Amino acid sequence: MSSNTHSNKNKKIGSLIRIWTVVVITVTFVIALIVVTTVQYFSQKKFCFQMVEKQVQDVGNDVEDVIEKIIINWTKYFVKGVEQLPGEIDNKTLNELVITNAELISEINIVNSDGIIIYSSDPNFVGFDMKESEKTAEFMCLLQGQDYYEQDIRPNILTNEEMWYVGMAIPSNNSFVQVGISKENYENLFKMSIRETAKNYNIGVSGGIIVCDKEYNVIACTEDEYIGLSLDNKDILPASVGEKTSVEAKVFGKNSYVVAENRGDYYVIGAYPTEEMSSITTMNTVLNVLTFLIILLGAILIFTGLYNKYVIKNLDRVNESLKKITSGDLDERVEGYDTIEFNVLSDGINKTVDRLKDMISEADERVKMELEMARNIQQMSLPECIDVYRNNSRFSLYAYMETAKIVGGDFYDFYMVSQDILVATMADVSDKGIPAAMFMMRAKTLMKSLAGEGLSVEEMATQANKALWENNDGNMFVTAWIGFINVETGLVKYVHAGHTCPVVFRNADSYFVKKEREMLMGSIDDLEYHEQEFTLQSGDCLFLYTDGVIEAEDVEGNFYGKERLLTELDGMN
């Protein structure tokens, strides 16, 4: 009876996941809603730029079409007059026609079938053969069947005045009329046309078109109040002719979606205020956010309740037991819970702990043996202070190491590389234990090998650093003080790679050798170390050590410290 009751109370997490699926679907819906809103925003933004760009392109095309239609219509008018009154056309008549229409035209020429100007508003042009110049010879196409031809603005062949010439054939007598428009008249016609055109282009409610000349002065605008002003944001303008820019920028105080086109002699700028698009999408955004918050709140309440009841509560109980176990209490037992999965989990943890206790006992003995062997190997790798170092007539050397653990990363080394040069190294690897000991062995062997190649101390340190950095998967590094000591002269050439400062003491007066302290070794591959030096006098002592000395703590947690070290060394003299 008890067993059945317990079984009925237990529920599989799989059953609970089916309930949570509803929450996941809801959250997915919210995410989709956000994605849709975001896509909608960027789509509308893209549409705004496309709309503005279309208006900018239409304005430029419309202005050119208007000007061209005006010129063509006037030219047709002159041609019609010539055809109807051929006998009445003379230089005076053409000159009066130019004066009457001075706001538009500056010159009229009648050219016969041989390409000779036979009548002109300017008598100086009469008799000019248009075939003689490449510029004017272009109009000969009107004598070969073409109805209309126009040139861009260029200097007049005789007066050098900037002019825009158009021509139209007179089929009745195989001649043509050439009309010249001064640059000033053309620009006035352009401004008039573009102002009228710009007024007809509204973009949205308050957006519109702005046209600037090359000096950035507004010559046409949907809103007349800006005409004559200087454009306040020149960064929006493209540099190259034909190029367009599309940016969000502030134009005359309004944040806008801006498209600007460089059309050579002028810029056409379309601006659509961003606040207009924002006002369109604000209501949708508010509704989306409110819906999202309501659904999210409901999902959180449901999910949190279920998760706390069936997972968090049980996990907390498991974690409490695991904390005791990981703290070393291997006698802690994980009790059963109200789901089948957690009951299985508790049984598995208890069995694992029992097996772990057995394995720890076995491993303790094995590790003790291996660490003791490693310690012996490490100690054997350190050089001994044999008589050649202890009782040398020129110097005496003593060395000792006591690791914080059975094996560690501190090491020292000393050896003669020549008759007078003693190399002394004191180093500390950035860790303890077997990995540090292995890195220590690698560093020690590498440094001694490089020193034996006859390198200087800075070359040795630089190459050792690069070699230690390579294949340094454990990201370990080593601090080191490496000195090449001339035992005859006392000159010490050394590299100080982030290690503790050595101490020189003489006659009860100890001091730290504090010069430039460079980066530790093995951390950066392209470091270059620099040689430094000082000189030992006869009777001086050089004391090298690792930070294990000055950072040793007493029972109250106080460090041994540098000052105490100096005091102790002074007392040894």
Side-chain angles (χ1 to χ4, degrees):
M1 183 69 178
S2 174
S3 175
N4 290 336
T5 302
H6 181 73
S7 176
N8 290 334
K9 286 184 179 180
N10 292 342
K11 299 180 180 65
K12 286 188 175 182
I13 292 180
S15 300
L16 302 177
I17 290 177
R18 283 193 292 271
I19 300 174
W20 295 352
T21 301
V22 177
V23 178
V24 173
I25 292 174
T26 304
V27 173
T28 303
F29 169 75
V30 172
I31 294 174
L33 190 61
I34 295 172
V35 171
V36 169
T37 302
T38 304
V39 171
Q40 181 183 14
Y41 168 78
F42 285 106
S43 296
Q44 288 178 336
K45 183 177 177 180
K46 182 179 179 181
F47 170 77
C48 289
F49 277 120
Q50 290 175 341
M51 175 180 65
V52 176
E53 183 177 354
K54 178 66 166 57
Q55 297 287 66
V56 168
Q57 184 176 352
D58 288 348
V59 168
N61 294 338
D62 285 354
V63 170
E64 293 177 0
D65 289 344
V66 167
I67 295 174
E68 187 170 334
K69 286 178 181 178
I70 292 174
I71 299 303
I72 290 175
N73 288 338
W74 273 93
T75 306
K76 285 181 178 179
Y77 169 76
F78 298 138
V79 170
K80 186 176 181 181
V82 171
E83 288 180 321
Q84 291 178 349
L85 301 170
E88 298 181 11
I89 296 298
D90 56 22
N91 296 341
K92 181 179 179 181
T93 303
L94 295 180
N95 185 50
E96 291 175 351
L97 191 60
V98 169
I99 293 173
T100 304
N101 300 280
E103 75 282 357
L104 176 64
I105 60 175
S106 302
E107 180 185 330
I108 301 177
N109 300 312
I110 308 297
V111 183
N112 66 13
S113 59
D114 296 323
I116 307 298
I117 297 177
I118 56 176
Y119 300 108
S120 175
S121 59
D122 185 346
N124 293 320
F125 295 153
V126 175
F128 178 75
D129 188 350
M130 298 189 70
K131 299 189 296 296
E132 293 181 357
S133 170
E134 291 184 6
K135 295 180 180 180
T136 56
E138 295 176 7
F139 284 92
M140 294 302 99
C141 62
L142 298 174
L143 301 177
Q144 300 169 1
Q146 187 168 321
D147 294 331
Y148 178 80
Y149 181 76
E150 68 178 51
Q151 288 181 329
D152 54 2
I153 294 179
R154 61 181 67 181
N156 182 288
I157 193 64
L158 298 179
T159 66
N160 209 33
E161 180 183 1
E162 294 285 331
M163 299 285 286
W164 185 40
Y165 283 103
V166 297
M168 184 167 287
I170 305 176
S172 61
N173 56 10
N174 194 28
S175 60
F176 64 88
V177 174
Q178 183 190 50
V179 178
I181 302 171
S182 69
K183 183 177 181 181
E184 180 181 358
N185 283 350
Y186 177 82
E187 290 176 349
N188 291 335
L189 178 62
F190 167 77
K191 289 179 181 179
M192 178 185 69
S193 300
I194 204 166
R195 284 177 183 174
E196 291 300 320
T197 302
K199 287 182 180 180
N200 299 324
Y201 280 87
N202 289 313
I203 304 177
V205 176
S206 58
I209 293 294
I210 300 170
V211 181
C212 295
D213 58 21
K214 297 302 288 184
E215 285 72 39
Y216 314 115
N217 297 315
V218 178
I219 58 176
C221 186
T222 305
E223 300 180 21
D224 290 340
E225 61 181 293
Y226 299 119
I227 295 176
L229 299 180
S230 178
L231 186 67
D232 59 348
N233 188 353
K234 302 176 182 60
D235 294 336
I236 63 176
L237 300 177
S240 303
V241 176
E243 182 183 354
K244 293 179 182 178
T245 55
S246 300
V247 296
E248 287 187 50
K250 182 173 287 188
V251 180
F252 290 127
K254 294 181 181 180
N255 291 319
S256 306
Y257 299 111
V258 179
V259 176
E261 181 180 8
N262 186 333
R263 297 185 74 93
D265 293 329
Y266 61 99
Y267 301 96
V268 181
I269 304 160
Y272 177 59
T274 56
E275 63 181 11
E276 286 196 27
M277 191 192 83
S278 299
S279 64
I280 295 173
T281 59
T282 295
M283 186 58 67
N284 289 336
T285 302
V286 171
L287 292 175
N288 290 342
V289 170
L290 288 176
T291 304
F292 164 72
L293 290 177
I294 292 171
I295 295 175
L296 180 62
L297 180 60
I300 290 175
L301 290 175
I302 296 173
F303 179 79
T304 302
L306 293 174
Y307 198 67
N308 284 338
K309 181 178 180 180
Y310 294 105
V311 179
I312 298 299
K313 181 180 177 182
N314 289 335
L315 284 177
D316 287 342
R317 293 170 62 186
V318 172
N319 285 335
E320 287 298 321
S321 295
L322 287 175
K323 284 180 181 178
K324 295 178 182 180
I325 293 172
T326 55
S327 298
D329 184 6
L330 299 184
D331 295 324
E332 169 70 12
R333 308 298 294 176
V334 183
E335 301 299 332
Y337 299 94
D338 55 0
T339 63
I340 295 173
E341 287 80 4
F342 274 103
N343 280 327
V344 173
L345 176 62
S346 62
D347 291 341
I349 292 174
N350 292 333
K351 290 179 182 179
T352 301
V353 171
D354 291 339
R355 176 56 184 152
L356 181 62
K357 290 165 67 175
D358 295 337
M359 294 176 63
I360 289 174
S361 178
E362 297 170 1
D364 280 346
E365 293 301 321
R366 184 168 61 253
V367 169
K368 286 180 182 179
M369 294 176 60
E370 291 176 352
L371 289 177
E372 185 61 32
M373 183 179 298
R375 182 178 185 279
N376 292 335
I377 293 173
Q378 185 181 28
Q379 290 289 342
M380 291 172 62
S381 69
L382 298 176
E384 296 183 10
C385 294
I386 56 179
D387 286 344
V388 70
Y389 295 108
R390 287 183 180 274
N391 300 316
N392 192 294
S393 60
R394 296 183 293 179
F395 67 93
S396 295
L397 187 150
Y398 301 89
Y400 174 76
M401 183 178 77
E402 183 68 33
T403 60
K405 294 186 177 182
I406 295 180
V407 290
D410 295 2
F411 71 93
Y412 62 82
D413 202 2
F414 52 86
Y415 42 86
M416 302 293 295
V417 292
S418 69
Q419 184 176 356
D420 295 327
I421 303 300
L422 168 69
V423 178
T425 302
M426 183 64 64
D428 182 5
V429 176
S430 62
D431 204 348
K432 304 295 181 184
I434 291 179
M438 296 177 65
F439 196 79
M440 177 272 280
M441 294 285 290
R442 179 185 173 195
K444 176 179 175 297
T445 303
L446 178 63
M447 291 180 188
K448 187 171 183 179
S449 174
L450 291 171
E453 295 178 4
L455 301 178
S456 66
V457 65
E458 60 183 8
E459 293 172 335
M460 166 196 170
T462 298
Q463 292 191 25
N465 170 75
K466 187 173 184 63
L468 291 173
W469 180 84
E470 294 175 352
N471 301 319
N472 187 4
D473 296 333
N475 294 322
M476 305 183 76
F477 56 84
V478 58
T479 65
W481 189 95
I482 308 167
F484 282 28
I485 305 170
N486 190 316
V487 296
E488 281 295 325
T489 65
L491 178 63
V492 181
K493 296 182 178 181
Y494 69 96
V495 164
H496 196 166
H499 198 69
T500 54
C501 297
V503 179
V504 173
F505 58 97
R506 63 168 72 102
N507 299 326
D509 183 17
S510 303
Y511 65 91
F512 288 102
V513 179
K514 294 182 179 180
K515 293 189 177 181
E516 184 178 355
R517 197 172 183 182
E518 298 184 286
M519 288 289 292
L520 37 80
M521 303 176 70
S523 60
I524 302 176
D525 66 332
D526 57 353
L527 283 177
E528 291 187 5
Y529 291 90
H530 304 90
E531 179 184 283
Q532 304 181 72
E533 64 180 45
F534 65 91
T535 302
L536 293 171
Q537 299 177 11
S538 178
D540 285 355
C541 292
L542 177 64
F543 181 70
L544 306 178
Y545 59 98
T546 65
D547 57 11
V549 174
I550 58 177
E551 293 180 2
E553 299 181 22
D554 59 19
V555 292
E556 296 179 354
N558 298 315
F559 288 118
Y560 186 84
K562 296 181 179 180
E563 296 301 324
R564 188 172 177 183
L565 174 63
L566 289 181
T567 302
E568 186 69 22
L569 293 175
D570 287 342
M572 294 173 59
N573 284 305

